[in-house]
Every structure is written in structure tokens, then in C-alpha cells.
Amino acid sequence: MTGFTGFLLRRIAGAVLVLLALSVIVYAVFYVAPGNVAQIVCGERCSPQQVALVHDKLGLGDPLYLQYGHFVQGIFAGRDFSSGTGMVHCSAPCLGQSYRTDEQVTDLILGKLPVTGSLVIGAFALWLLIGVGTGVLSAWKRGGMTERLLTWLTLAGTSTPVFVIGLLLIIILCSTLQWLPFPQYVPFTDNPQQWFWGLLLPWFSLALIESAKYARLTRSSMLETLAEDHVRTFRAYGLSERAIVGRHALRGAVAPVIALSALDAGTMFGSAVLTETLFGIPGIGQQLVQSVRTVDLPVVVGVVLTTGFFVVLANAVADVLYAMADRRVVLS
């Protein structure tokens, strides 16, 4: 238990350091990069006096290290912003204030997070079900037509962009066959049934891409496990192939699947940008696209940091789950 506790503490410390480094890089890219932020926020028609007022309001005259210090302070302790008529307090974790709407970035992201979370969680469940099931079936029916067909489908799925699959699903299922309505997001609390049907097509668009990767990983892990000595012993004792695959081989092949699934659950928050834009889902990805178009830097930085947080968190969770599945990782 002491070894596992030390392993856990090392992973937490590493995750904190990565997040700190990420905040420095993101801040430098968006705020230290060449360009007059005050002019961008104010607009091209602003006079020099108006640009100077915006420059002072945003605190852009402070040294860069002080600006970054205020940014980090807002994340951990909150900070105050000038609203033109007074000061507005932003409670921790404060990611800044939108240049365009004066809305706090944290509130803006939290309002979009359930939408993107619904998309990611549903796609996550589907790609695990489809990917692991396809990989197990391909390993079980190795050498036959079923394996060759599934291998071809997984290769096609891996090499096809998500927007191509999404457009094909819309054309075939919504326009041609009219089996599904065109995706339109409805909050779960308003109508659970419409929420499900509105996200079904985006779920499949993401799941078909990711499931191909899991099918290949599961198949290779299953084939390695089926070639081990203890599996041959089970066969010698007359155990059925179905029991060997379901009870023993799958258990031995699940560790890499667990690690990869925890990692992909975080990275999917970044991959959701294309899917949300394609299907018009008002989530974090679509908010990022709109903020880039309007050069709303605090929102862009907040979304990037939030996505990075989920990626780092998913990496840490993947390490812990992998260590729980294989205790030899703790000693490495």
C-alpha cells in the first residue's frame, strides 16, 4: 500500500507541474505574441485615446510577469476586474473576463461543459462497446472471412476523418432514408427523449472513429493472450473456446484498453470541436471556434486550459488504472 501511495503522489505532483507548464505556454502564446491586444478588442475604428483606455482597463501596461501572476492568482484565489463604472470580483477558479460580453470565462465554460460532456460520455460508451466487441470477435474468428472483413472496416474507420463520417451519416440516415431527425441539441432536463435522439448521430460519428482504434488494440492484445501457455493448458483440459475468450483472454487483454480509454476520454474534449461545429451543438468546441473568430482571447485561453486540464487528468487516471490492473507498474 505504501508503494501504491507513493506512486499516486508522484502522479499527482507530475500532473500539477504539467498544468503549470501548460498555463505558462498558453499565456505566452496568446498574450506575449506580437499584436496590439487593446486595438483588437476595441476595434479598427477606435481612436488612439479609446485604445489607451482599453489598454489601461485590461492591465496590459503591467510587466508580463505581473500579468501572468494576476492570471494565476485568479485561478487559485480569484481577482477583480474593472468594468468601466467600478470593480467586478471574479471568484476562483477565475479564468478571466470575456472581451466581447464581459461575462466571466469560468461561468461561460461551465454553461457549455454539460453539452460537451454529454457528447463525450455517450460517444465513449459507444466506442468501447463497438471497439472491444469487434476486437474480441476478430480475435475469436481469426483466420476467417469475419476477421478479414472486420480488419478492413477498422482500417477504413481509422483513416476516415470525423467530419466525413458525420456528413455521410447525415446524408444517408437523415436525408435519404429519413430514419433519424437532423441533430439538434436539447438539454436533458427539458426533454430526455429529444436529448437522446439529438445526440445519437454525433455519438456514432465520434464512436466509429475511435472504436476502430480499440478494435485493433483489443484484437492484438487478445491474440497475444491466446498464445500464452496457460491458455493452451485450458484447451488441453477441454475448456470451450468461448469460455477461454470470455473469462480468461479478455481479462488479460483489458489493461491496455483501460489505459487508452482513460486517456482518450480527456482528449475527446479537444476532438469535439469538429463534431460540435458540424452538427451545430452548442458546446465548448463551438464556443472555441466563435471566440477565435472574434479574437476573444480570455475565452480562447480558458477553453484551451480547460481542455488541457481534462487531458492531464485523464493521463493521471490512466496511469492509476493501469497500475491497479498491473501492480508491476508501481515498481517501475
Side-chain angles (χ1 to χ4, degrees):
M1 189 64 186
T2 303
F4 186 80
T5 303
F7 170 83
L8 186 62
L9 291 176
R10 290 195 302 270
R11 289 298 178 266
I12 293 176
V16 172
L17 290 176
V18 171
L19 285 174
L20 183 61
L22 177 64
S23 68
V24 173
I25 295 172
V26 171
Y27 192 87
V29 168
F30 288 102
Y31 284 97
V32 184
N36 190 337
V37 176
Q39 183 68 62
I40 294 173
V41 174
C42 188
E44 296 180 357
R45 298 183 179 180
C46 287
S47 63
Q49 292 78 12
Q50 292 173 318
V51 173
L53 289 175
V54 173
H55 189 274
D56 294 337
K57 176 184 175 181
L58 298 178
L60 298 176
D62 298 332
L64 292 177
Y65 70 89
L66 191 59
Q67 294 183 44
Y68 176 73
H70 291 157
F71 177 73
V72 175
Q73 175 191 348
I75 295 177
F76 292 101
R79 59 182 298 192
D80 296 327
F81 291 94
S82 173
S83 62
T85 58
M87 301 299 293
V88 177
H89 181 70
C90 179
S91 302
C94 178
L95 295 173
Q97 191 175 23
S98 171
Y99 287 162
R100 302 300 176 183
T101 64
D102 288 335
E103 185 178 357
Q104 294 184 11
V105 176
T106 305
D107 295 338
L108 190 62
I109 293 176
L110 289 178
K112 305 289 185 179
L113 193 59
V115 181
T116 302
S118 299
L119 175 63
V120 171
I121 292 173
F124 178 79
L126 272 179
W127 84 53
L128 277 183
L129 180 64
I130 298 173
V132 174
T134 302
V136 171
L137 183 60
S138 179
W140 187 12
K141 301 295 183 179
R142 60 191 180 278
M145 181 61 69
T146 301
E147 183 196 15
R148 287 194 291 271
L149 177 61
L150 293 176
T151 301
W152 182 84
L153 290 175
T154 54
L155 287 174
T158 305
S159 59
T160 306
V162 63
F163 63 87
V164 174
I165 289 184
L167 287 174
L168 288 176
L169 290 177
I170 291 175
I171 293 172
I172 296 173
L173 299 179
C174 297
S175 300
T176 305
L177 300 178
Q178 296 184 354
W179 287 354
L180 292 173
F182 189 84
Q184 184 177 6
Y185 180 79
V186 176
F188 180 82
T189 53
D190 292 349
N191 192 318
Q193 184 176 0
Q194 291 186 10
W195 170 84
F196 175 82
W197 288 112
L199 286 174
L200 187 60
L201 216 55
W203 283 342
F204 270 103
S205 298
L206 281 176
L208 291 177
I209 296 292
E210 294 296 324
S211 61
K213 178 170 56 178
Y214 283 83
R216 298 178 65 184
L217 176 63
T218 305
R219 177 183 176 276
S220 62
S221 299
M222 287 284 295
L223 290 178
E224 290 179 5
T225 306
L226 289 172
E228 293 179 356
D229 293 337
H230 71 280
V231 174
R232 288 197 292 266
T233 303
F234 290 144
R235 290 196 181 100
Y237 279 109
L239 200 63
S240 66
E241 192 70 16
R242 177 177 297 180
I244 292 174
V245 171
R247 296 179 186 177
H248 304 285
L250 182 59
R251 184 183 303 174
V254 75
V257 175
I258 291 175
L260 183 62
S261 62
L263 176 61
D264 283 345
T267 56
M268 285 306 295
F269 277 87
S271 303
V273 173
L274 286 176
T275 307
E276 291 180 356
T277 304
L278 176 63
F279 292 101
I281 300 174
I284 292 178
Q286 194 176 71
Q287 180 64 55
L288 177 61
V289 173
Q290 294 174 355
S291 299
V292 169
R293 289 174 179 172
T294 59
V295 201
D296 199 347
L297 293 181
V299 179
V300 175
V301 171
V303 172
V304 172
L305 284 179
T306 301
T307 304
F309 168 77
F310 282 112
V311 172
V312 173
L313 177 64
N315 272 279
V317 172
D319 289 340
V320 173
L321 292 178
Y322 200 90
M324 294 175 64
D326 188 354
R327 296 305 292 266
R328 293 173 296 180
V329 176
V330 177
L331 303 176
S332 61

